Amino acid sequence: MNMNSFHNILIGLSAGLAVVGAVSCATGSRSSAGGEVTGVGGTAWAEPTPYGMVLVDRGSVEMGPQKADSAWGIAANPRGISVDAFWMDETEVTNAKYKQFVFWVRDSIIRERLADPAYGGNEDFKIEEDREGNPVTPHLNWNKAIPWRNPNEDEQRAIESVYRTNPITGVRELDGTQLNYRYEVYNHTEAAKRRNRLDPRRREYNTDMPVPTDVPLISKDTAWVTDEGEIMRETITRGLTGDYDFLNTYIVNVYPDTTAWVNDFENAYNEPYVRMYFSHGGYSDYPVVGVSWEQANAFANWRTDYLKRSLGRQGVYVEPYRLPTEAEWEYAARAGVSENMYPWEGDLTMSEDKGCFYANFKPQEGNYVKDGQLITSRVGTYAPNDFGLYDMAGNVSEWTSTAFTESVGRLTSDLNPEYRYDAALEDPYRMKRKIVRGGSWKDVAHNIRSDLRMWEYQNEQRSYIGFRCVRTQIGFAKGNKQNNKK
């Protein structure tokens, strides 16, 4: 869609080299003492505290239910796991924050068209040469403002091309079908595996074994848009040829499915939410819903790229925003306390003294409003847990990066556990399940527990599923205070 994402590709490909290069070029050896090895220092730049995020220090927790519950068919199967420190959004991603992503995609399309000869061909909206006149990879000029006011005829056509007039109501509205975001991700994990090394002599360290001669098979995702505007996706399997075999291309339509409010609830009058929940300013601070796992990942990628541009750190690796792993999410939700089945202490969902609810959920059959809400609530309405995180139970369920399989708990390590499976288009649908956590405004108290695993298909868009992002912390973490107490 635009070439700005290409910078992210180059950074991803050279991430390791970029960091090494920055250290080796900017540092020197310490003064030696009597010929002793004293080490080589390194320079570092301090990452700013991510906006709206809370630092979750490294720690451990017994993951999973601590007690059996025969009524719900739950077996007690706690498992000790440890996770490194990470930053986490203190609230779920709101409509306002997700709308910034949507508008960025809209504006990138408009800028692309303003530079197109079919819409006047204003070269100021696209950069193809550096200041010395040398050719560079073409990319959009975000310093050139879109002429929202007083555009000429060609500019007006470019701006209006991303809008449509509703044939029934006559209302001018954003054409969500055009809002496709293209990005590329370098799969560092697969590239790092010994079996995928380009030099076959480094794939097998056992000197009793012959040097492998088989060419490793690599699967990579690619995507494109047809002339009719349809997004096409294909997973290619081929023999390893080079680093670009680990580069995956995705094109995702980013507009939320506002019709989820009707499709999730039959025979219910939820049409006002279809029209207003995402677009009306009154819901700006409510969690975005109707966003698939694929769209949530696209948002995280854009958020990372947006940060790099704003910091001017295109040549240095920056820890990406991403969805939390299931283990990170549970550890954070339970505030690192194995005895907590909820984000708070105890097994009650309301204060006995004050009669106040701790979360937004469905307290009784048919009674959604007993906790003070009907559907979602404004983020941060209820008190945070001991880590300073809001709405880790109820409000909306949250996507994690972890793929679901019935045996996921036996497949993962106890150190930073994670199970990834990037399903191909032709894979059976059941292989496209991803783990969601926390329960939502429509769930009973049992389903908002922090120690329970649930799942949804990665392309589904629900009125009760949202997400929040995390970023791995670079450098030393103190260790969780809660764990130090125990």
Side-chain angles (χ1 to χ4, degrees):
M1 181 183 62
N2 64 76
M3 297 305 296
N4 279 315
S5 296
F6 190 74
H7 291 281
N8 192 30
I9 304 169
L10 298 178
I11 295 166
L13 284 172
S14 59
L17 294 177
V19 175
V20 173
V23 172
S24 60
C25 291
T27 63
S29 61
R30 297 170 182 159
S31 59
S32 59
E36 297 292 342
V37 175
T38 58
V40 175
T43 58
W45 64 281
E47 288 195 10
T49 298
Y51 176 79
M53 284 189 149
V54 171
L55 178 61
V56 178
D57 283 336
R58 65 188 178 199
S60 64
V61 70
E62 290 191 3
M63 188 173 173
Q66 306 292 306
K67 300 177 182 178
D69 189 338
S70 59
W72 289 91
I74 295 175
N77 59 348
R79 171 176 174 251
I81 60 97
S82 297
V83 295
D84 208 346
F86 57 93
W87 297 94
M88 189 176 213
D89 284 329
E90 63 179 351
T91 71
E92 293 139 343
V93 172
T94 61
N95 282 321
K97 288 183 178 179
Y98 194 83
K99 200 176 295 183
Q100 185 176 352
F101 175 38
V102 170
F103 285 176
W104 185 93
V105 174
R106 176 202 65 184
D107 293 353
S108 68
I109 296 173
I110 292 175
R111 281 187 167 84
E112 194 75 53
R113 290 176 182 169
L114 286 168
D116 189 331
Y119 293 93
N122 189 336
E123 296 179 354
D124 291 340
F125 284 97
K126 206 161 198 176
I127 298 173
E128 298 184 356
E129 296 180 346
D130 61 18
R131 294 179 179 178
E132 286 73 37
N134 301 312
V136 296
T137 301
H139 58 279
L140 296 179
N141 181 9
W142 287 88
N143 292 322
K144 176 67 174 176
I146 294 174
W148 296 105
R149 296 183 178 180
N150 303 317
N152 61 38
E153 184 177 345
D154 287 330
E155 293 169 340
Q156 183 68 27
R157 286 194 303 112
I159 294 171
E160 290 300 322
S161 67
V162 297
Y163 290 86
R164 66 185 288 268
T165 300
N166 188 301
I168 306 301
T169 64
V171 174
R172 175 180 176 269
E173 57 192 21
L174 195 59
D175 183 4
T177 63
Q178 297 187 51
L179 303 183
N180 299 327
Y181 175 68
R182 180 184 185 274
Y183 68 104
E184 300 191 278
V185 176
Y186 186 76
N187 192 331
H188 289 275
T189 300
E190 287 300 312
K193 289 181 178 179
R194 187 176 295 178
R195 66 170 183 261
N196 292 332
R197 287 175 175 169
L198 297 177
D199 185 351
R201 294 169 298 180
R202 299 185 64 232
R203 296 177 195 153
E204 176 59 66
Y205 282 7
N206 186 344
T207 55
D208 292 337
M209 303 293 292
V211 174
T213 57
D214 295 340
V215 177
L217 290 179
I218 301 299
S219 292
K220 64 174 293 181
D221 294 328
T222 185
W224 67 95
V225 178
T226 66
D227 292 338
E228 293 73 29
E230 181 181 2
I231 298 175
M232 304 297 291
R233 178 185 170 186
E234 182 180 5
T235 299
I236 301 171
T237 301
R238 67 186 185 194
L240 176 64
T241 60
D243 286 331
Y244 275 88
D245 288 325
F246 302 105
L247 191 65
N248 298 276
T249 303
Y250 300 99
I251 300 176
V252 179
N253 183 272
V254 304
Y255 203 81
D257 183 7
T258 59
T259 67
W261 291 100
V262 167
N263 290 299
D264 287 341
F265 300 92
E266 293 186 2
N267 301 319
Y269 182 64
N270 289 337
E271 291 178 21
Y273 307 138
V274 174
R275 295 190 295 268
M276 308 297 283
Y277 184 81
F278 183 66
S279 60
H280 195 281
Y283 288 105
S284 290
D285 295 328
Y286 285 64
V288 67
V289 297
V291 173
S292 69
W293 181 87
E294 296 163 352
Q295 290 173 312
N297 275 286
F299 174 89
N301 180 274
W302 165 79
R303 190 174 177 181
T304 304
D305 199 42
Y306 194 76
L307 174 67
K308 290 174 182 175
R309 287 195 307 272
S310 65
L311 295 176
R313 293 286 176 177
Q314 296 287 25
V316 176
Y317 180 76
V318 174
E319 276 296 322
Y321 289 98
R322 55 183 174 81
L323 293 180
T325 67
E326 181 194 24
E328 288 173 331
W329 193 98
E330 181 170 331
Y331 172 74
R334 298 168 71 179
V337 180
S338 298
E339 291 75 20
N340 285 357
M341 70 170 61
Y342 292 105
W344 50 85
E345 185 178 353
D347 56 2
L348 299 178
T349 55
M350 64 182 299
S351 168
E352 291 184 291
D353 297 335
K354 301 179 181 179
C356 300
F357 283 91
Y358 296 141
N360 176 18
F361 65 107
K362 182 181 175 182
Q364 292 179 344
E365 183 178 357
N367 190 347
Y368 293 87
V369 298
K370 189 173 182 179
D371 60 2
Q373 315 298 326
L374 177 62
I375 53 169
T376 56
S377 58
R378 183 176 281 105
V379 297
T381 296
Y382 298 86
N385 71 358
D386 286 346
F387 281 1
L389 299 165
Y390 294 88
D391 300 315
M392 294 299 284
N395 212 13
V396 291
S397 297
E398 299 178 16
W399 291 111
T400 72
S401 61
T402 308
F404 176 81
T405 177
E406 285 75 4
S407 58
V408 63
R410 296 190 294 273
L411 294 173
T412 53
S413 170
D414 55 3
L415 171 66
N416 294 320
E418 172 67 323
Y419 175 67
R420 297 296 300 266
Y421 183 77
D422 297 323
L425 184 64
E426 61 272 14
D427 278 339
Y429 197 39
R430 67 189 308 272
M431 298 178 70
K432 301 174 183 179
R433 295 176 291 179
K434 298 297 186 287
I435 292 174
V436 294
R437 286 303 204 107
S440 74
W441 59 270
K442 73 166 188 60
D443 289 311
V444 297
H446 173 271
N447 291 339
I448 66 169
R449 285 172 51 169
S450 304
D451 58 352
L452 296 183
R453 176 182 294 133
M454 294 166 281
W455 59 266
E456 183 54 90
Y457 294 104
Q458 66 184 45
N459 63 340
E460 274 288 2
Q461 299 160 295
R462 299 292 192 182
S463 60
Y464 47 84
I465 298 180
F467 69 101
R468 70 180 80 207
C469 295
V470 299
R471 279 181 68 198
T472 300
Q473 187 205 31
I474 297 177
F476 177 75
K478 298 177 181 178
N480 185 263
K481 297 177 182 178
Q482 196 72 30
N483 281 350
N484 291 337
K485 291 179 182 179
K486 298 187 75 64

